[in-house]
């Protein structure tokens, strides 16, 4: 297992545990637990798409080192737009489902979903900081 695979494996496991615990706590407190769960799963799905993009770009760079057929910048932009449209679409659907609630509850529900989405981002940054290589000055 490579270092990148190990990091992604650890990130997904830690995030699943955190999402499970927070969802359970929100459920027991009778809060909007579904929004957190959907946001967390959306974050995991986007992380998976990012890992897939990275693996594809790495493979294509090995196959085409002169970049005659593969444009990594264009590919990165297209994958980013895919993830952006996915997040925008899911949040629009969540907002549509919560439209009958009072405005304060709507904002709180969307913030809970955003917190679920951001969980994997925070965990990913923390794990990357833990696994960074030390720079040796000569």
């Amino acid at each position: 297992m490579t270092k990148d695979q190990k990091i992604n494996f650890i990130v997904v496991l830690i995030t699943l545990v955190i999402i499970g615990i927070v969802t359970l706590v929100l459920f027991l407190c009778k809060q909007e637990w579904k929004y957190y769960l959907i946001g967390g799963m959306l974050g995991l799905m986007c992380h998976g798409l990012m890992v897939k993009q990275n693996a594809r770009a790495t493979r294509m760079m090995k196959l085409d080192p002169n970049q005659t057929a593969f444009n990594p910048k264009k590919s990165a932009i297209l994958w980013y737009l895919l993830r952006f449209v996915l997040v925008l679409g899911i949040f629009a659907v969540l907002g549509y489902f919560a439209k009958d609630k009072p405005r304060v509850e709507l904002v709180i529900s969307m913030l809970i979903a955003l917190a679920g989405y951001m969980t994997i981002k925070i965990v990913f940054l923390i794990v990357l900081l833990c696994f960074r290589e030390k720079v040796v000055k000569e």
Side-chain angles (χ1 to χ4, degrees), residues 104-124:
V104 173
E105 286 185 34
L106 172 71
V107 170
I108 289 173
S109 298
M110 298 308 285
L111 286 176
I112 289 173
L114 183 65
Y117 176 72
M118 293 304 291
T119 301
I120 192 163
K121 307 275 186 217
I122 294 168
V123 171
F124 187 58

Tab-separated table of all heavy atoms in Angstrom, residues 104-124:
chain	number	residue	atom	x	y	z
A	104	VAL	N	-35.066	30.443	9.920
A	104	VAL	CA	-33.985	30.137	10.869
A	104	VAL	C	-33.680	28.640	10.846
A	104	VAL	O	-32.510	28.238	10.813
A	104	VAL	CB	-34.371	30.600	12.291
A	104	VAL	CG1	-33.351	30.145	13.307
A	104	VAL	CG2	-34.538	32.103	12.332
A	105	GLU	N	-34.720	27.810	10.847
A	105	GLU	CA	-34.495	26.363	10.793
A	105	GLU	C	-33.890	25.948	9.460
A	105	GLU	O	-33.089	25.008	9.414
A	105	GLU	CB	-35.809	25.615	11.022
A	105	GLU	CG	-36.274	25.634	12.449
A	105	GLU	CD	-37.507	24.775	12.646
A	105	GLU	OE1	-37.631	23.735	11.960
A	105	GLU	OE2	-38.343	25.149	13.467
A	106	LEU	N	-34.252	26.613	8.375
A	106	LEU	CA	-33.677	26.325	7.072
A	106	LEU	C	-32.175	26.597	7.073
A	106	LEU	O	-31.375	25.768	6.613
A	106	LEU	CB	-34.355	27.155	5.983
A	106	LEU	CG	-33.732	27.101	4.591
A	106	LEU	CD1	-33.980	25.743	3.963
A	106	LEU	CD2	-34.286	28.200	3.718
A	107	VAL	N	-31.796	27.740	7.619
A	107	VAL	CA	-30.371	28.097	7.681
A	107	VAL	C	-29.617	27.110	8.573
A	107	VAL	O	-28.515	26.666	8.229
A	107	VAL	CB	-30.201	29.551	8.177
A	107	VAL	CG1	-28.753	29.866	8.484
A	107	VAL	CG2	-30.758	30.523	7.158
A	108	ILE	N	-30.208	26.739	9.700
A	108	ILE	CA	-29.550	25.791	10.600
A	108	ILE	C	-29.398	24.430	9.928
A	108	ILE	O	-28.342	23.793	10.016
A	108	ILE	CB	-30.329	25.678	11.930
A	108	ILE	CG1	-30.160	26.970	12.727
A	108	ILE	CG2	-29.852	24.480	12.746
A	108	ILE	CD1	-31.007	27.051	13.973
A	109	SER	N	-30.426	23.987	9.213
A	109	SER	CA	-30.350	22.702	8.508
A	109	SER	C	-29.246	22.722	7.460
A	109	SER	O	-28.487	21.752	7.320
A	109	SER	CB	-31.686	22.387	7.839
A	109	SER	OG	-32.706	22.270	8.791
A	110	MET	N	-29.149	23.806	6.722
A	110	MET	CA	-28.117	23.897	5.692
A	110	MET	C	-26.718	23.992	6.307
A	110	MET	O	-25.761	23.448	5.755
A	110	MET	CB	-28.386	25.087	4.772
A	110	MET	CG	-29.698	24.988	4.007
A	110	MET	SD	-29.916	23.444	3.128
A	110	MET	CE	-28.826	23.692	1.773
A	111	LEU	N	-26.601	24.663	7.446
A	111	LEU	CA	-25.303	24.728	8.131
A	111	LEU	C	-24.902	23.361	8.680
A	111	LEU	O	-23.714	23.003	8.675
A	111	LEU	CB	-25.333	25.765	9.247
A	111	LEU	CG	-25.307	27.226	8.801
A	111	LEU	CD1	-25.452	28.158	9.999
A	111	LEU	CD2	-24.035	27.532	8.044
A	112	ILE	N	-25.876	22.591	9.139
A	112	ILE	CA	-25.585	21.238	9.609
A	112	ILE	C	-25.100	20.379	8.449
A	112	ILE	O	-24.138	19.613	8.573
A	112	ILE	CB	-26.826	20.631	10.301
A	112	ILE	CG1	-27.061	21.322	11.642
A	112	ILE	CG2	-26.665	19.130	10.502
A	112	ILE	CD1	-28.341	20.920	12.335
A	113	ALA	N	-25.749	20.497	7.288
A	113	ALA	CA	-25.314	19.759	6.101
A	113	ALA	C	-23.908	20.197	5.674
A	113	ALA	O	-23.072	19.368	5.300
A	113	ALA	CB	-26.306	19.950	4.961
A	114	LEU	N	-23.643	21.492	5.747
A	114	LEU	CA	-22.313	21.999	5.404
A	114	LEU	C	-21.265	21.479	6.383
A	114	LEU	O	-20.143	21.150	5.979
A	114	LEU	CB	-22.321	23.530	5.380
A	114	LEU	CG	-21.026	24.202	4.968
A	114	LEU	CD1	-20.713	23.877	3.510
A	114	LEU	CD2	-21.132	25.703	5.152
A	115	ALA	N	-21.623	21.390	7.648
A	115	ALA	CA	-20.689	20.835	8.638
A	115	ALA	C	-20.374	19.381	8.323
A	115	ALA	O	-19.221	18.944	8.440
A	115	ALA	CB	-21.276	20.958	10.041
A	116	GLY	N	-21.379	18.619	7.902
A	116	GLY	CA	-21.133	17.236	7.503
A	116	GLY	C	-20.221	17.162	6.298
A	116	GLY	O	-19.328	16.308	6.226
A	117	TYR	N	-20.421	18.053	5.334
A	117	TYR	CA	-19.587	18.084	4.136
A	117	TYR	C	-18.145	18.469	4.479
A	117	TYR	O	-17.197	17.915	3.929
A	117	TYR	CB	-20.173	19.071	3.123
A	117	TYR	CG	-19.343	19.252	1.886
A	117	TYR	CD1	-19.270	18.251	0.927
A	117	TYR	CD2	-18.618	20.419	1.676
A	117	TYR	CE1	-18.510	18.409	-0.215
A	117	TYR	CE2	-17.861	20.589	0.540
A	117	TYR	CZ	-17.805	19.580	-0.405
A	117	TYR	OH	-17.031	19.739	-1.526
A	118	MET	N	-17.987	19.395	5.394
A	118	MET	CA	-16.648	19.884	5.732
A	118	MET	C	-15.881	18.938	6.662
A	118	MET	O	-14.676	19.098	6.842
A	118	MET	CB	-16.746	21.273	6.375
A	118	MET	CG	-17.240	22.353	5.433
A	118	MET	SD	-16.256	22.512	3.947
A	118	MET	CE	-14.759	23.160	4.630
A	119	THR	N	-16.562	17.964	7.239
A	119	THR	CA	-15.899	17.029	8.152
A	119	THR	C	-14.722	16.341	7.479
A	119	THR	O	-13.620	16.288	8.028
A	119	THR	CB	-16.907	15.981	8.664
A	119	THR	OG1	-17.968	16.646	9.333
A	119	THR	CG2	-16.240	15.009	9.613
A	120	ILE	N	-14.930	15.831	6.274
A	120	ILE	CA	-13.841	15.114	5.598
A	120	ILE	C	-12.726	16.065	5.190
A	120	ILE	O	-11.560	15.691	5.188
A	120	ILE	CB	-14.343	14.304	4.393
A	120	ILE	CG1	-13.227	13.368	3.922
A	120	ILE	CG2	-14.831	15.194	3.282
A	120	ILE	CD1	-13.670	12.258	3.050
A	121	LYS	N	-13.065	17.292	4.868
A	121	LYS	CA	-12.033	18.259	4.492
A	121	LYS	C	-11.098	18.524	5.680
A	121	LYS	O	-9.876	18.564	5.525
A	121	LYS	CB	-12.676	19.576	4.037
A	121	LYS	CG	-13.718	19.426	2.971
A	121	LYS	CD	-13.106	19.397	1.628
A	121	LYS	CE	-14.206	19.392	0.590
A	121	LYS	NZ	-13.876	18.558	-0.535
A	122	ILE	N	-11.680	18.702	6.854
A	122	ILE	CA	-10.878	18.975	8.049
A	122	ILE	C	-10.037	17.757	8.423
A	122	ILE	O	-8.842	17.874	8.721
A	122	ILE	CB	-11.797	19.413	9.204
A	122	ILE	CG1	-12.442	20.763	8.856
A	122	ILE	CG2	-11.039	19.490	10.513
A	122	ILE	CD1	-13.573	21.168	9.757
A	123	VAL	N	-10.658	16.572	8.387
A	123	VAL	CA	-9.921	15.349	8.706
A	123	VAL	C	-8.781	15.137	7.709
A	123	VAL	O	-7.672	14.755	8.088
A	123	VAL	CB	-10.880	14.132	8.730
A	123	VAL	CG1	-10.108	12.829	8.828
A	123	VAL	CG2	-11.855	14.255	9.880
A	124	PHE	N	-9.050	15.394	6.438
A	124	PHE	CA	-8.028	15.225	5.400
A	124	PHE	C	-6.835	16.137	5.657
A	124	PHE	O	-5.677	15.712	5.558
A	124	PHE	CB	-8.645	15.492	4.026
A	124	PHE	CG	-7.753	15.197	2.868
A	124	PHE	CD1	-7.216	13.938	2.679
A	124	PHE	CD2	-7.440	16.181	1.952
A	124	PHE	CE1	-6.393	13.656	1.600
A	124	PHE	CE2	-6.623	15.915	0.862
A	124	PHE	CZ	-6.086	14.652	0.692
